[in-house]
Amino acid sequence: MTAGTKAQAPDGTEVVLGEIGTRVLLENPRVRVWEVALDPGEAQGWHLHHNPYVVLCLSTSPCHMDWLDGSPARQLSETVGGSVYRPVSPVHMLTNHGDTAYRNRLIEVLDLGEETSGTPYDVPAGVAADSSFAEVGEVPAKVVVDEDDVRVQHVTPDAGESYTWQTGAYPALVVDLDLDTEPLSGLVYLEPGESYTLPTKPARTSGYNLVELRYFSR
């Protein structure tokens, strides 16, 4: 993490970097999961990523990203349930210039960045190569990120429906996108081959993101 370190703008101005999120919700040798929460008009502050990361959108609002090196600002247009996977990037800051709250979950992939623990990882024998659902038939799931390193699926059960998902030969995370769910209980880390049954909801919500760390299976 880079909070408290300094960076220099092209004009020589020094800025003190902040954290890349509002608070840490989960951390282990593989991932660090942040909550990012920006109310209308609020800025996250200058920060730097040392690890590739996955962004999962829970609540959307028009935002823009400014770069300390003076590059043109990037306008963000995210969709609830959508996701992006980004490598490390230059110093930047995020500002919510909309009139609604912006919320996301940001997952740092530590194994692929500067904070890797180097801890060996062995997949247990007998674990299937890929993830799957226990249910027979169509499951309301679609792939929103499909990279060599990471895949993210968005699952949207109807009211009263539930599905059981089993990971493949890699760790994974289940993230509840319902803003009414307490963040810590809405975040589950799974080891290879483990299964998880999505909680039943009384009404249809924004669903769940299933984040698969596929680089382990290579």
Side-chain angles (χ1 to χ4, degrees):
M1 294 188 282
T2 59
T5 61
K6 294 181 179 180
Q8 192 172 63
D11 64 2
T13 303
E14 279 193 342
V15 298
V16 178
L17 302 182
E19 298 289 12
I20 66 174
T22 307
R23 60 169 173 159
V24 174
L25 301 176
L26 181 151
E27 184 170 6
N28 61 37
R30 307 297 171 189
V31 296
R32 182 185 297 121
V33 184
W34 294 83
E35 177 180 56
V36 176
L38 294 176
D39 289 329
E42 189 175 6
Q44 187 178 7
W46 296 112
H47 61 278
L48 178 65
H49 294 270
H50 287 290
N51 308 294
Y53 58 102
V54 183
V55 179
L56 312 174
C57 182
L58 280 70
S59 176
T60 188
S61 182
C63 294
H64 65 270
M65 191 176 291
D66 293 301
W67 307 91
L68 187 61
D69 65 7
S71 298
R74 176 192 297 166
Q75 302 295 321
L76 301 186
S77 179
E78 298 183 5
T79 302
V80 175
S83 177
V84 294
Y85 177 56
R86 294 193 175 112
V88 294
S89 54
V91 176
H92 58 275
M93 66 184 299
L94 183 64
T95 301
N96 179 358
H97 62 261
D99 55 8
T100 57
Y102 173 80
R103 301 287 186 271
N104 77 30
R105 298 287 180 263
L106 190 153
I107 302 169
E108 293 186 84
V109 185
L110 304 183
D111 284 290
L112 303 181
E114 295 182 10
E115 295 184 61
T116 177
S117 67
T119 304
Y121 199 94
D122 295 320
V123 177
V127 173
D130 209 353
S131 64
S132 62
F133 288 94
E135 288 71 22
V136 176
E138 187 174 354
V139 174
K142 65 176 181 179
V143 176
V144 293
V145 169
D146 193 7
E147 303 281 351
D148 289 340
D149 294 331
V150 173
R151 177 169 57 195
V152 182
Q153 297 185 68
H154 182 212
V155 186
T156 52
D158 283 330
E161 288 186 341
S162 180
Y163 299 93
T164 298
W165 184 63
Q166 185 170 40
T167 64
Y170 36 72
L173 295 103
V174 178
V175 181
D176 192 333
L177 305 179
D178 186 353
L179 291 173
D180 291 333
T181 300
E182 205 286 322
L184 295 179
S185 63
L187 181 62
V188 178
Y189 180 84
L190 301 172
E191 297 288 354
E194 289 188 331
S195 61
Y196 180 76
T197 300
L198 303 179
T200 301
K201 300 290 183 72
R204 185 184 176 104
T205 68
S206 297
Y208 304 84
N209 277 142
L210 312 178
V211 183
E212 307 171 54
L213 307 182
R214 295 200 295 177
Y215 56 88
F216 276 118
S217 64
R218 294 203 300 267

